[in-house]
Amino acid sequence: MIGFIGAVYGGGYSLMTGTILGLMLGVSGLYFVVGRVRQLNHLTLPDIIADLTGRQAARPIAGTVLLANGWLYLIMQLVGASLLVTTITGVPYEYMVWVIGVVFITYTVLGGLVSVAWTDLLQGTIMVAAVLFALGYMVLDLGGSLPSIPNSPR
């Protein structure tokens, strides 16, 4: 999430549109598979893959792929958050990676995944509210209505 704004700035609005449409398509596609997945009565994706392929060797392979992917995502979050805090406070980057990593791990261990889910919900709500606030501010600043924005002198 932290680097997405920079990626859109560098890649243009087509990147943002493609990402948003891809997410919408992915979430919409879940509607068609969620019933089948619930019937399988498994808890993890490696269990589902092992059941569908009929090979127990698929379970550790899928788990390893998921773990590697999770580490990549965690590294991106640590780097982005550390660069942000370093830019704001001036604390050396190398220290911030460790501090933020310890905060991530402590929060997850103490609160569990339920606390992570609640935090994600709260952060998502704040982001949507901030975008709506920015949209309202922009509309008012550029003439007071959405149709007037393209004709704005700025």
Side-chain angles (χ1 to χ4, degrees):
M1 228 21 219
I2 293 174
F4 184 68
I5 294 170
V8 170
Y9 180 77
Y13 285 112
S14 61
L15 176 70
M16 182 177 70
T17 305
T19 302
I20 291 171
L21 290 176
L23 288 171
M24 289 171 37
L25 179 64
V27 170
S28 300
L30 288 175
Y31 174 78
F32 299 104
V33 298
V34 73
R36 169 86 169 113
V37 171
R38 283 187 179 165
Q39 289 175 354
L40 293 174
N41 199 25
H42 292 299
L43 297 177
T44 65
L45 184 61
D47 289 338
I48 293 171
I49 291 173
D51 186 45
L52 293 175
T53 61
R55 299 173 191 254
Q56 292 303 312
R59 184 174 284 131
I61 293 170
T64 303
V65 169
L66 288 172
L67 183 62
N69 195 18
W71 274 107
L72 290 174
Y73 179 75
L74 180 63
I75 289 169
M76 289 188 299
Q77 294 300 313
L78 282 173
V79 168
S82 299
L83 287 173
L84 179 67
V85 174
T86 297
T87 302
I88 293 171
T89 65
V91 176
Y93 168 77
E94 293 79 15
Y95 297 126
M96 290 315 306
V97 169
W98 286 102
V99 169
I100 291 174
V102 168
V103 169
F104 283 0
I105 292 168
T106 304
Y107 183 80
T108 304
V109 168
L110 293 177
L113 289 178
V114 173
S115 65
V116 173
W118 278 108
T119 304
D120 288 347
L121 176 68
L122 177 65
Q123 289 174 347
T125 303
I126 291 171
M127 285 189 282
V128 169
V131 167
L132 292 175
F133 176 78
L135 175 65
Y137 180 81
M138 180 184 71
V139 168
L140 290 175
D141 190 47
L142 295 176
S145 67
L146 287 175
S148 68
I149 291 176
N151 301 327
S152 165
R154 294 183 211 180

